[in-house]
Amino acid sequence: GLLILGVLCITFCEAIAGRFGYVPVPPSTPLPMPNQGGDDDAEQQLLGKQEGLEQAKGNRVLGLLSAAFVGLFGGSILVPASYVRPDLQGLPLTPSFGVGAGTVGCFVGLVYWRLRGMNRSLRHELRGEVVLWGCVSGCVWNAGNVAQIIAMHYYGMPYGIAYPILQCALFVSGLWGIYMFGEVTCRGAITAYWIGAATLLSGAALLGMYGPGAS
């Protein structure tokens, strides 16, 4: 329960801050100008706002659905391993895992590119620096999965403990987003993030001490 609460608090830290009146204004937001074009300009601005709200609602639904699928597939990531012979479980399973992840990742990327109707060519999208840092990101992410497999199959850590602790990656990514890339600058949102982080780490610690297989 603490793990879920901490993850939700970190994920929606900006929304939580907004509930308490902390509404950050993006630096690129232009200041409102006095209306000099009469009623026509005002009507166009109103229509533009309505279209923007409708688009934001659609994007929100799509984002929630995408997050739900991430949780579904991410939580089931090692389920197929239970059907593998015991002598092939653990690290011997990781090469096939990597091939499957790479294949599905390419397929999903192509589908996304087609659905978005991007006018730019794939050659432009798959620039050298994009491929390089994408591969580095994938290697770091898979290092966590490999460490989880080692903890489970060679040190006897139950899946019910190993996988929830893996979700602490959200805490680390939040640190990068706040302090390295400056994606979150609102003090209220940062406070909500740290409250969620403390809850998440507390849940992970309690799970390790009293969870499945704890002595």
Side-chain angles (χ1 to χ4, degrees):
L2 288 176
L3 288 171
I4 296 175
L5 182 60
V7 168
L8 290 176
C9 193
I10 291 176
T11 305
F12 299 106
C13 61
E14 290 185 321
I16 294 172
R19 290 287 184 180
F20 291 93
Y22 294 94
V23 182
V25 178
S28 59
T29 302
L31 296 175
M33 299 298 292
N35 184 16
Q36 299 176 352
D39 296 336
D40 292 340
D41 289 344
E43 184 176 355
Q44 291 179 359
Q45 291 178 2
L46 180 60
L47 290 174
K49 289 181 179 179
Q50 291 177 347
E51 292 177 357
L53 289 174
E54 292 177 358
Q55 183 178 3
K57 289 180 180 179
N59 291 338
R60 183 180 181 84
V61 172
L62 181 60
L64 290 174
L65 287 175
S66 300
F69 280 114
V70 167
L72 174 63
F73 294 128
S76 307
I77 199 169
L78 292 179
V79 171
S82 61
Y83 298 98
V84 179
R85 297 200 317 263
D87 59 316
L88 294 178
Q89 292 185 0
L91 289 180
L93 188 66
T94 53
S96 59
F97 173 81
V99 172
T103 303
V104 174
C106 292
F107 174 76
V108 172
L110 288 173
V111 171
Y112 175 80
W113 180 73
R114 293 295 298 175
L115 290 178
R116 294 284 294 182
M118 295 181 178
N119 296 324
R120 292 178 295 186
S121 65
L122 277 177
R123 183 183 298 273
H124 181 272
E125 296 295 330
L126 300 178
R127 300 184 302 276
E129 64 271 19
V130 175
V131 175
L132 172 62
W133 292 113
C135 291
V136 171
S137 176
C139 290
V140 173
W141 176 71
N142 271 297
N145 289 319
V146 171
Q148 177 191 3
I149 293 174
I150 293 174
M152 289 173 54
H153 290 278
Y154 300 101
Y155 293 95
M157 179 175 287
Y159 183 84
I161 294 178
Y163 191 78
I165 291 178
L166 183 66
Q167 301 312 304
C168 291
L170 185 65
F171 165 68
V172 178
S173 63
L175 290 177
W176 281 99
I178 294 173
Y179 298 106
M180 180 65 181
F181 301 108
E183 296 174 342
V184 179
T185 56
C186 175
R187 289 185 178 181
I190 295 175
T191 301
Y193 164 82
W194 278 109
I195 292 174
T199 305
L200 176 68
L201 296 177
S202 299
L206 290 174
L207 187 63
M209 291 187 294
Y210 305 107
S215 57

